[in-house]
Amino acid sequence: MSIRLSAWPARLCWLLVGLLLIGGGGRFALAQTPSSASPQQLEEFLRAARQNSPLLADLRGQVAQNRLDSLRRVAQNRPLVVGSAVAVAAPALGSFGYDQAITNGGNYGAVVSATQPLFNRTVLRNDYQTLANQGQALRNTGRLSVLDLRRTVTDQFLTAYAAGQQLSYNQELLAQLNQQDVLLRRLVNGGLFKQTQYLSYYLSVRSQEVAVQQARQAYRRELGALRYLCGLTDTTLRPVAAPAPPRPQALAGLGSITQRQYTLDSLRLVLDRRTVDLGYRPRVNAVLDAGLQSASLLAVGRRLGVSGGLQLVVPIFDGHQRQLAYQRLAVAEQIRRGYRTFLSAQRQQQYQQLQSQARANEALLASLRAQLRVANALVAAGRQQLATGDIAILDYLQLISSTRAFQFGLTQVETERLRTLYALDYLSE
């Protein structure tokens, strides 16, 4: 026997329901206020992250310093001209003082000298190649940093996008439940459903409002983390656009950004060994000086002269440091080969695993979409049957709960599919 709402207890119940609806209802929508500082596309977030990253700015500065080091090396090969002045007195009184044969009583002079390295073309070429290798390594490190930043920002973007999708779905579900609430009130007033059954539905609507609030907080948190990574200070809660999945590409080989670092390290070790060899070659410098120099302060003005010649430096013995340097470079080469071999096998295994995972995600998505279509059809049919009283409210709520679970699973698998595709895209560079 259904309970009519003409009785006073029923009226009080409806009054309570109405007050709660006024206080807790309403749809939670994302702010749509336009803001030029609020990117929505993935590429916009990536662009902002590259522009605001202090690490990338630091690496660009190091590349500029490397260019200046090359110019400095060119300047070091030019003649080195220095000026020097000396005024040293050595007084001798009786038995006090240095021997005049050694000191000449003093030394006074002002001399300009110049030194020019000769026959060092091989050394210069090796130094220029070393600086060029350092510049290439810095630029490749910059590309690696951009790739790591892109991977981090993309992963957080997908997390925020999934949270936004959950918020949007929960808002749509709440709107549908609120619309259905109007119909159920009329059916309860008509005696088609019991009031206690409606109260169960009412509690489900309130639970959905809580779910919307929780989803909003989750989206705000994930969007804030994304903006934090990109160096953005905007706090407007806006939806992010759906990312376009990247095109599948083949695994990059030895020419990849990651592998190129080991190629540059190999070249650096070759240049380091050549530097060791060149350090044991004889060095020849041309020296020239001109100026005033005399043992007497009074005669220094009449002692203008010049001198010039060649300076030869020949290494003879240094305690076998050359062989120790060779051994150190050999150890460094073994370490480099070990890292490169491990990374090549790791990338190959990761690529195959991600391909298998992508295929599994596609199959799972197809299954979830099919199940969600069936669940949505059942909810639509249940909505029609609810209007005629052919389905219980609790059964209808069970259909909605099943649909919510399928939708949540679909969002999670879709996000995981995008992560897998982007991970494959990173391995192609």
Side-chain angles (χ1 to χ4, degrees), residues 46 203 221 251 260 285 314 420:
L46 293 174
L203 291 177
R221 181 178 62 252
L251 174 66
R260 179 169 172 75
N285 297 324
V314 180
T420 302

Side-chain angles (χ1 to χ4, degrees), residues 166-181:
Q166 288 297 327
L167 175 58
S168 178
Y169 171 73
N170 279 290
Q171 288 175 337
E172 293 176 0
L173 182 58
L174 178 60
Q176 294 174 4
L177 291 175
N178 283 329
Q179 292 175 359
Q180 199 71 21
D181 181 74

